[in-house]
Amino acid sequence: MFSRRTAWDLTPNELVVARQHASFAGEWIDLTSSNPTTVQLAYPQDTMTRALAQPAALVYEPACTGLASTRRFVADTYRQQGVDVEVDDLVLTASSSEAYSFLLKLLCDPGDSILVPQPSYPLFDDLARLESVRVRGYPLRAQDGWRTDVQALSEAVDDSVRAVFIVSPNNPTGSYLVRDELDAIEELAQRRGLALVSDEVFADYIWRDDPARVRCAAKESRTLAFSLGGLSKSACLPQMKLGWIVAGGPEPQRRAAMARLEMIGDTFLSVGTPIQHAAPALFEAAAGVREQLRHRIRRNLEMLQGVFDATSPVTVMPVRAGWYAVLRLPAFFTGEQWASLLARTSGVLTHPGEFFGFAEPACLVVSLIVPEAAFETGVRRIAGSAARASEA
């Protein structure tokens, strides 16, 4: 009766079972929280609600790539960061997930393949599956600051591959694309006729200056490329569904891509009019929220590195950007086993590295946006568990 695309294994995973049968009776600490609206940030509520109450939102304007005024706002935000984006190279979507869906429709036929980074957030698998597209992973090298293993990437390409997907900054490694890395990927893409897709939703959260960082791959690429952004991270408003695609590369390919994206957008017309009119005011109002979040992440990262110093059995892997940190624990347990142990005995919820496709053993991922007091409590519980396990 049902499509094979929806034949997921819906069995509860080990962490769900571990929490259901946990012996811990105290306060639970959730170090997986990634929802900025639930982590005690102060939002300018009156300003934001007024932005959503504009009379213009009552008029339906079926713009297949999004309202011109909203696309101008998005282009202006890029220009303020030194990136020249043309309004006609922008497509608005209801979310980053929908942007991925549009690009998979644009670039792939059923049975085609895309290349995606590992480790990274495991959204690609489900989105591609729903488009009847196959996913192949290419490794990011931990020993090289999570940069692309270009040789392995090249070896993963066959005649079924249509695009290389990049996440910059990456979730959860916090690494980002740099110029010579893009050059190497571009050379492969041009040689094999591949498009590039770069998810840049965490671009407002960079923790070290780096002139080599690629700010917008679509505008720096010499091959057909697309960059993704959205309000979810930039304005700390995941419930305000607005994403965008920036198209770049050689003009003939870019124009052909935009013509097809216009037809895809016209088929769905999914971006809500109220959020398009409200976007400029919401983004401006969220400036203080972004700064609160940046301050919290820096404080939590500082505390994390202080607890897990050179004498600790736990290592904090380098963080250059984003909302997450990767911890490497003693390898006598896997990441899944560590996450299960912490849930059962310490009341701390973490993501096992296996969830993101880490090849390195015994990795856990923790969110840096958790309120500082709760974050410190959770981190110290992890430190205690790691110390007890190492002594046993």
Side-chain angles (χ1 to χ4, degrees):
M1 179 180 292
F2 300 115
S3 161
R4 287 193 297 272
R5 288 173 294 177
T6 64
W8 292 287
D9 180 3
L10 301 179
T11 305
N13 63 36
E14 183 179 344
L15 287 180
V16 172
V17 174
R19 182 169 184 178
Q20 290 173 343
H21 297 89
S23 59
F24 185 78
E27 178 190 8
W28 285 79
I29 302 294
D30 186 358
L31 296 186
T32 69
S33 178
S34 59
N35 180 353
T37 68
T38 62
V39 292
Q40 302 173 23
L41 299 175
Y43 285 79
Q45 296 181 13
D46 290 345
T47 302
M48 288 185 167
T49 53
R50 281 198 302 272
L52 290 165
Q54 299 181 51
L58 296 175
V59 179
Y60 176 49
E61 301 176 60
C64 55
T65 58
L67 297 177
S69 59
T70 311
R71 287 185 287 125
R72 281 195 295 271
F73 150 70
V74 174
D76 287 344
T77 64
Y78 277 103
R79 292 193 184 104
Q80 290 167 13
Q81 300 169 31
V83 179
D84 188 15
V85 171
E86 298 297 327
V87 172
D88 289 342
D89 291 334
L90 278 163
V91 177
L92 303 185
T93 64
S95 64
S96 297
S97 294
E98 185 175 71
Y100 276 128
S101 175
F102 279 19
L103 292 172
L104 288 167
K105 290 176 173 66
L106 172 72
L107 299 170
C108 300
D109 288 320
D112 285 343
S113 302
I114 59 172
L115 301 180
V116 304
Q118 289 182 328
S120 192
Y121 193 74
L123 183 64
F124 293 117
D125 292 341
D126 290 337
L127 290 173
R129 179 173 179 162
L130 288 171
E131 302 294 339
S132 298
V133 172
R134 295 178 294 175
V135 170
R136 296 184 179 185
Y138 65 87
L140 307 180
R141 299 190 302 255
Q143 66 274 22
D144 195 21
W146 301 112
R147 292 183 63 177
T148 302
D149 186 332
V150 178
Q151 180 62 36
L153 174 65
S154 179
E155 292 171 355
V157 177
D158 66 12
D159 291 341
S160 75
V161 174
R162 295 291 175 263
V164 178
F165 283 58
I166 300 160
V167 185
S168 176
N170 181 279
N171 170 10
T173 65
S175 54
Y176 46 70
L177 189 67
V178 294
R179 183 66 247 181
D180 63 342
E181 187 180 9
L182 177 59
D183 289 342
I185 297 172
E186 265 186 343
E187 190 278 328
L188 172 65
Q190 289 177 320
R191 179 161 42 87
R192 299 303 299 266
L194 309 177
L196 303 182
V197 177
S198 180
D199 182 336
E200 297 162 2
V201 299
F202 283 104
D204 289 301
Y205 303 92
I206 305 296
W207 310 128
R208 63 174 68 173
D209 293 330
D210 187 347
R213 180 173 69 89
V214 174
R215 294 179 178 271
C216 179
K219 305 312 295 183
E220 297 187 40
S221 176
R222 296 180 296 273
T223 192
L224 180 64
F226 306 91
S227 290
L228 276 57
L231 285 188
S232 177
K233 306 302 185 299
S234 293
C236 303
L237 293 169
Q239 77 278 31
M240 303 298 179
K241 291 299 184 184
L242 181 66
W244 51 81
I245 301 168
V246 180
E251 184 174 1
Q253 290 181 316
R254 188 176 76 252
R255 296 270 65 85
M258 285 298 302
R260 287 162 172 77
L261 285 169
E262 286 178 16
M263 283 299 299
I264 294 171
D266 194 42
T267 302
F268 288 88
L269 291 176
S270 55
V271 186
T273 300
I275 187 59
Q276 292 187 75
H277 283 295
L282 289 174
F283 188 82
E284 181 180 359
V289 185
R290 282 193 298 276
E291 194 50 46
Q292 290 175 62
L293 198 60
R294 291 183 182 121
H295 177 76
R296 177 178 294 176
I297 291 170
R298 291 189 181 101
R299 289 288 301 272
N300 281 343
L301 188 55
E302 181 181 314
M303 192 281 300
L304 187 70
Q305 292 166 336
V307 171
F308 298 129
D309 59 17
T311 66
S312 171
V314 179
T315 301
V316 182
M317 303 187 80
V319 179
R320 291 189 289 172
W323 291 6
Y324 303 93
V326 180
L327 309 180
R328 179 177 285 162
L329 282 79
F332 41 75
F333 294 145
T334 67
E336 289 181 336
Q337 289 169 335
W338 273 115
S340 177
L341 175 68
L342 287 167
R344 286 186 290 105
T345 64
S346 299
V348 178
L349 300 180
T350 58
H351 280 308
E354 290 88 343
F355 179 73
F356 299 90
F358 278 87
E360 291 73 17
C363 286
L364 294 177
V365 174
V366 296
S367 168
L368 294 169
I369 75 169
V370 175
E372 292 168 42
F375 186 81
E376 181 171 2
T377 298
V379 166
R380 293 196 181 280
R381 289 184 191 175
I382 294 173
S385 291
R388 287 191 296 272
S390 298
E391 293 167 0

